[in-house]
Amino acid sequence: MKKVLYFALILSAAAGANPGDDLLRAAQDRERAGKADAAVALYEGVYRNPQTPPHQRVAALCGLLRTDAERFDAWSREGLSASDESVRGTVAQALALLPAARLDAVRAVWVAELPSDALLKVLTAIVHVKSEAASSFLADALAYSKDPAVRAAALFGVGAVGSADDVEMLLGWMRQDDADLAEQARRALIQLGDAKTDAALAGKLAAFTDDAAFVQKLLDVLATRNALGHAAAIVPFLAHADRNVRLQAFKCLGQQGGYGEQAAVLAAAAKTKDEKERREARKAVMKIARRAGGVQFKANRIGNCRTEACGVADFNNDGKPDIVAGPYLYLAPEFKAQKVREIKSEVGEDGKGYAHDFMDLPLDVNKDGKLDVVSGDWFSRETWWNENLLPTADLWAQHLIEQTGNIETGILVDLDGDGQATDFLPDTQITCLYQLGKDGRLGGYFARDSISNERCDMGRGCGDLNGDGRNDILTPPAWYENCADGTWKRHPLRVGFEDGGRELGHASNFIVFDVNKDGLNDILVSSAHRYGIFWWEQLKDRDAQGEIQFKKHVIDETWTQAHYLGWGDIDADGVPELVAGKRFMAHNGGDPDEYGHLCVFYYDFTPGANPEFRKYVVDWDSDVGAGLNIECRDMDGDGDVDLVTTGKWGGPVIFENKTK
C-alpha cells in the first residue's frame, strides 16, 4: 500500500491543468480498486498520447509497470532504454519497488539481455531500496554477466544488502585476478552490516594461512570493520613467517585484543627486531593495556642521567616528596635537577658500564630534622651517607660508614618494631645489618650487627617469617631468626634452591606477606638476572628437622632481570600490588635476554586460597625499565600511589597513577 501511495503522490504532483491529469487520477482509482484491465487502458492512453507532457507520460509508464503483468517485460525494457536519463532512473526506481516475485520472473533474462547501462540502473535501484529481490538479482549478475562494471556494481550491492552468508562468496571474489573486482569485493566485506559477519570472517582466517598476501588483506578487513570479540583467531598470526602479516596481526589485536590476548601479544612483541614491527607491537601492547583494565599510568621522564638507584623523600621539608638519583636532587613539584654530590660513572650511551651508586636510602642520620642519603658502591666496596646541606647550594658532605665488601644494593628495615625503618640491610656477600643510634663507631652514627659471615648470593629481605612477632632476615639460602635474646639463628630457606641447584641465582629483595591468607607468611621474590617472579607458599607441615618448608608458585616467567620488586597499593583496594621492571644492561649484555624490550609491569591479586596474579602493563618498550629499586609513593598529592624508578637507560621517571 505504501508503494502505491508513493506513486500516487508522484502522480498528484504531476497533475495540473493538463487534461491528462484527470485520466491519471482515474487510472489510479481503478488501480486501487483492483480493476487492473481498466487501469492499464487508461495508463496506456496517457502514455501513448503524443500531446501528454513528459512527466505525465513517465507517471503513466510507472503505472503500467505495476498493472500490466502480461507486458511487464516490454514496458520495463522500453522505460530502461529511454533516451532521457531521468526517465531511465525513474523507471528503475519504480521497478525496484515492485514485489520480488515480479522481478524474479524476469531476472535471468534481464541479466543476459539488458544493455549494461540499463542493468546497472536496475541493480543500483534495487540495492538503494533494499528490495527483497536484491540478493537473487545480485547473485545472477555476478554469475552470468560478463561486464566488469556490472559485476563491480553487484559486489557493491552485496556489501550494502548482503549478510554473513555472502562472506565465502566475497572471499572468492577477493582472490580473483581482476584487481578492480577483488578490491570491490574487499570493500563489500567491509561494508556488510550483518552482526555475524565478523565471526564468519574470523572463522575463515585459518584456511588462508599459507597465502600471506591474502591473509594480510583479510586481517586488514577485520581491522577496518573494527571487528571486536574475535581476537583469539588473530593471535596465531603473530607468529606468521611473513612480516606484513605479523604487522597486520599486531594492528588488529591492538584494536580489539583484551586481557586474554595480553600474554600472547607481549610474548610476540618481545621477539620483534624490525623497527616498524616493533612500533606496531608497542602500540598494540599499550592499547591492550588500556583496554585490559587495571590502573593506567603516564610516564614523566624528569631526567636523563644513567644511574640505577633512587630515593624518594621530602628532603627540603616542604611537604612534597622529592627524588634523589645519582648526582642530582630533584625537588618537587618542578623536579628540576640540582647537583648535590659527585658520583663516579663509566656508563656509556649503550648503557654498559656502571655508576658507582647502588642504593639511595633516605634516612635522617644525624637527627637534624633533614633526611640524608645512605649509599653504597660495588666497586669501592664502601657504604657512606651524604649529609643534607639544604637550603645551601653546596655539595652534600660524604661520610664513610664502612668497607662492607661488594654491595649490590640495600633496603631500610624495621627490626625493633617501632614502625620506623631506620636500620639498613646491605645486599652484600655476607649478611650484616647497620643499626642507627646503637653506638657512634661507624660513620659516627651506626653500629654493625654481623648476622652471618657465610658467603651467599645477593638478595635480602626482612619480615616475620615464623610468626613470633619479630622481624627476621632473609637471604637466598637461609633465613635468620631474630631471637628474643638478640642473637640470630640460621635456618635453611631453600627458596633459591631446588634439587641442589642454584635456581634463582642472585635474587631480588624478598617481600614477606601472607599471600593465601592461611595465617602463615609467604615470600615473594624474583630472580634478579634470570627468568622468573615467584611466590613461595609457607607450608603448615615442617620437614624432618623441624624447619619451615615452602612450595613454589610461578607468577611470571616470561621476561628477565626483574631485579627489584616494588610493593604498594596501586589500586587502593587495601592490598599491595607487586611492581617489577626489566633492568637495563645489568651485566653489560651478559644476562639472558639482556637486549630484550624494556618493560614495567604490576601484578594484582586477591589474598586467599589459590590466588591468581593478574599482570598489567605500566610501560612497554619506550626505553624505560627499572634499575635497582622502584618506589611506590604519592608524588603529586592526589591520593593515589605513583611509581618512581631510574636506570642506565636514563632517568628518573615518574609513572603518574591516573586513577585520580
Side-chain angles (χ1 to χ4, degrees):
M1 184 62 182
K2 288 182 179 178
K3 296 176 182 178
V4 173
L5 290 175
Y6 171 78
F7 281 99
L9 290 172
I10 294 178
L11 295 175
S12 297
N18 191 286
D21 289 343
D22 294 335
L23 292 176
L24 284 173
R25 291 193 193 96
Q28 291 170 359
D29 290 341
R30 282 155 180 77
E31 182 181 351
R32 285 192 291 268
K35 298 177 181 179
D37 291 342
V40 168
L42 290 169
Y43 281 135
E44 187 172 2
V46 174
Y47 179 69
R48 298 296 189 191
N49 185 349
Q51 303 302 317
T52 302
H55 67 273
Q56 290 183 340
R57 293 189 74 237
V58 173
L61 179 56
C62 290
L64 289 168
L65 294 175
R66 296 192 305 273
T67 56
D68 193 353
E70 185 176 344
R71 291 181 291 172
F72 172 73
D73 182 48
W75 291 125
S76 300
R77 291 172 184 265
E78 187 169 335
L80 291 170
S81 61
S83 59
D84 191 316
E85 172 74 17
S86 64
V87 172
R88 296 199 301 272
T90 301
V91 169
Q93 287 293 316
L95 290 170
L97 290 169
L98 293 175
R102 181 75 62 86
L103 295 176
D104 286 341
V106 297
R107 184 180 67 244
V109 176
W110 283 8
V111 168
E113 298 179 2
L114 279 181
S116 293
D117 61 340
L119 185 55
L120 284 170
K121 288 285 187 185
V122 175
L123 292 177
T124 301
I126 63 175
V127 168
H128 177 71
V129 302
K130 293 182 169 53
S131 168
E132 293 179 1
S135 295
S136 300
F137 226 119
L138 296 170
D140 277 3
L142 288 170
Y144 303 116
S145 176
K146 304 301 182 184
D147 190 321
V150 171
R151 288 179 166 182
L155 289 170
F156 172 83
V158 173
V161 301
S163 69
D165 294 336
D166 296 306
V167 165
E168 188 165 357
M169 178 269 291
L170 289 172
L171 288 175
W173 280 96
M174 265 186 74
R175 293 170 67 82
Q176 291 288 318
D177 292 334
D178 188 311
D180 292 336
L181 291 177
E183 173 60 15
Q184 190 58 66
R186 185 188 73 85
R187 293 179 180 180
L189 282 169
I190 292 171
Q191 190 179 7
L192 282 176
D194 187 349
K196 298 179 181 179
T197 299
D198 293 340
L201 282 168
K204 296 293 183 181
L205 275 171
F208 301 105
T209 301
D210 295 335
D211 188 342
F214 190 72
V215 167
Q216 183 187 352
K217 290 179 181 179
L218 194 50
L219 288 171
D220 180 67
V221 168
L222 285 168
T224 306
R225 287 182 60 85
N226 195 25
L228 303 179
H230 306 286
I234 301 170
V235 166
F237 293 94
L238 293 171
H240 199 278
D242 188 271
R243 167 182 177 266
N244 290 325
V245 172
R246 296 195 302 272
L247 283 169
Q248 198 61 53
F250 277 122
K251 180 179 179 181
C252 286
L253 288 168
Q255 186 180 59
Q256 64 166 283
Y259 189 83
E261 290 72 46
Q262 177 179 265
V265 172
L266 282 168
K271 298 176 182 178
T272 60
K273 303 299 182 185
D274 175 82
E275 185 57 34
K276 185 175 181 180
E277 187 176 351
R278 180 178 173 179
R279 288 196 301 270
E280 201 64 59
R282 180 167 58 245
K283 288 190 289 186
V285 169
M286 296 311 296
K287 286 180 179 179
I288 289 174
R290 290 191 291 271
R291 193 179 300 115
V295 175
Q296 301 300 307
F297 291 88
K298 178 183 178 181
N300 301 306
R301 194 190 294 256
I302 63 171
N304 200 31
C305 184
R306 296 178 182 271
T307 58
E308 296 191 90
C310 65
V312 175
D314 181 9
F315 290 101
N316 60 353
N317 293 326
D318 67 350
K320 301 179 180 68
D322 312 304
I323 301 171
V324 63
Y328 301 109
L329 176 67
Y330 303 84
L331 292 175
E334 293 84 7
F335 297 106
K336 182 180 179 180
Q338 172 184 336
K339 189 171 183 179
V340 295
R341 55 186 183 165
E342 298 287 352
I343 297 294
K344 182 181 178 182
S345 176
E346 300 96 15
V347 181
E349 290 300 308
D350 58 358
K352 295 182 179 181
Y354 295 94
H356 292 227
D357 174 26
F358 286 75
M359 66 178 181
D360 290 326
L361 308 178
L363 184 63
D364 186 1
V365 176
N366 57 2
K367 301 299 181 183
D368 65 352
K370 295 184 295 185
L371 288 168
D372 310 299
V373 180
V374 176
S375 299
D377 175 26
W378 174 277
F379 298 100
S380 68
R381 303 182 178 187
E382 294 177 343
T383 56
W384 66 87
W385 65 280
N386 290 106
E387 182 179 355
N388 184 341
L389 297 181
L390 293 178
T392 74
D394 297 338
L395 294 183
W396 293 6
Q398 181 167 310
H399 306 278
L400 178 67
I401 298 173
E402 192 176 32
Q403 288 274 346
T404 53
N406 300 115
I407 180 167
E408 178 87 341
T409 184
I411 56 176
L412 290 175
V413 299
D414 173 19
L415 279 183
D416 56 16
D418 65 356
Q420 302 295 318
T422 57
D423 307 317
F424 84 89
L425 182 64
D427 203 342
T428 59
Q429 292 174 323
I430 61 173
T431 306
C432 60
L433 183 72
Y434 291 84
Q435 295 177 290
L436 184 62
K438 293 293 183 179
D439 62 40
R441 291 185 298 111
L442 300 178
Y445 296 94
F446 292 95
R448 181 175 185 270
D449 190 347
S450 296
I451 296 172
S452 173
N453 288 324
E454 175 187 351
R455 295 174 68 85
C456 67
D457 288 324
M458 303 301 178
R460 297 293 184 270
C462 181
D464 184 6
L465 204 55
N466 59 355
D468 64 359
R470 294 184 296 273
N471 285 334
D472 310 301
I473 300 297
L474 288 72
T475 72
W479 68 278
Y480 295 89
E481 180 184 352
N482 186 358
C483 300
D485 61 2
T487 61
W488 299 93
K489 181 179 180 181
R490 185 190 189 280
H491 301 271
L493 187 55
R494 301 193 182 98
V495 165
F497 294 77
E498 190 169 281
D499 299 329
R502 293 170 57 188
E503 184 183 12
L504 284 179
H506 294 302
S508 71
N509 53 313
F510 292 82
I511 296 171
V512 178
F513 184 79
D514 186 2
V515 174
N516 58 357
K517 292 190 73 173
D518 64 352
L520 302 175
N521 275 336
D522 309 299
I523 297 172
L524 299 104
V525 67
S526 65
S527 176
H529 297 278
R530 304 174 189 173
Y531 288 90
I533 304 173
F534 314 94
W535 76 275
W536 289 78
E537 177 187 359
Q538 183 176 163
L539 303 178
K540 288 182 168 48
D541 295 330
R542 304 293 179 100
D543 67 10
Q545 288 73 41
E547 299 289 354
I548 295 175
Q549 298 187 93
F550 293 90
K551 178 182 179 181
K552 183 179 75 171
H553 301 271
V554 175
I555 296 174
D556 192 357
E557 283 187 306
T558 63
W559 56 285
T560 66
Q561 298 168 95
H563 205 281
Y564 183 90
L565 300 180
W567 187 242
D569 188 3
I570 291 171
D571 57 10
D573 65 351
V575 178
E577 279 71 49
L578 193 68
V579 188
K582 188 180 184 72
R583 187 179 173 193
F584 179 54
M585 289 289 118
H587 283 158
N588 294 328
D591 285 339
D593 195 34
E594 181 79 276
Y595 294 91
H597 304 284
L598 292 178
C599 54
V600 181
F601 303 112
Y602 82 85
Y603 301 83
D604 185 31
F605 70 101
T606 300
N610 303 311
E612 177 186 359
F613 284 78
R614 290 177 64 84
K615 177 180 180 179
Y616 294 99
V617 176
V618 175
D619 195 75
W620 168 263
D621 196 30
S622 63
D623 296 328
V624 176
L628 291 168
N629 61 317
I630 303 171
E631 298 300 308
C632 303
R633 293 286 298 273
D634 181 4
M635 298 300 294
D636 50 13
D638 62 357
D640 54 28
V641 174
D642 309 300
L643 308 175
V644 179
T645 190
T646 194
K648 289 193 287 181
W649 35 264
V653 165
I654 301 172
F655 289 106
E656 180 188 355
N657 187 327
K658 301 301 292 183
T659 301
K660 297 181 181 179

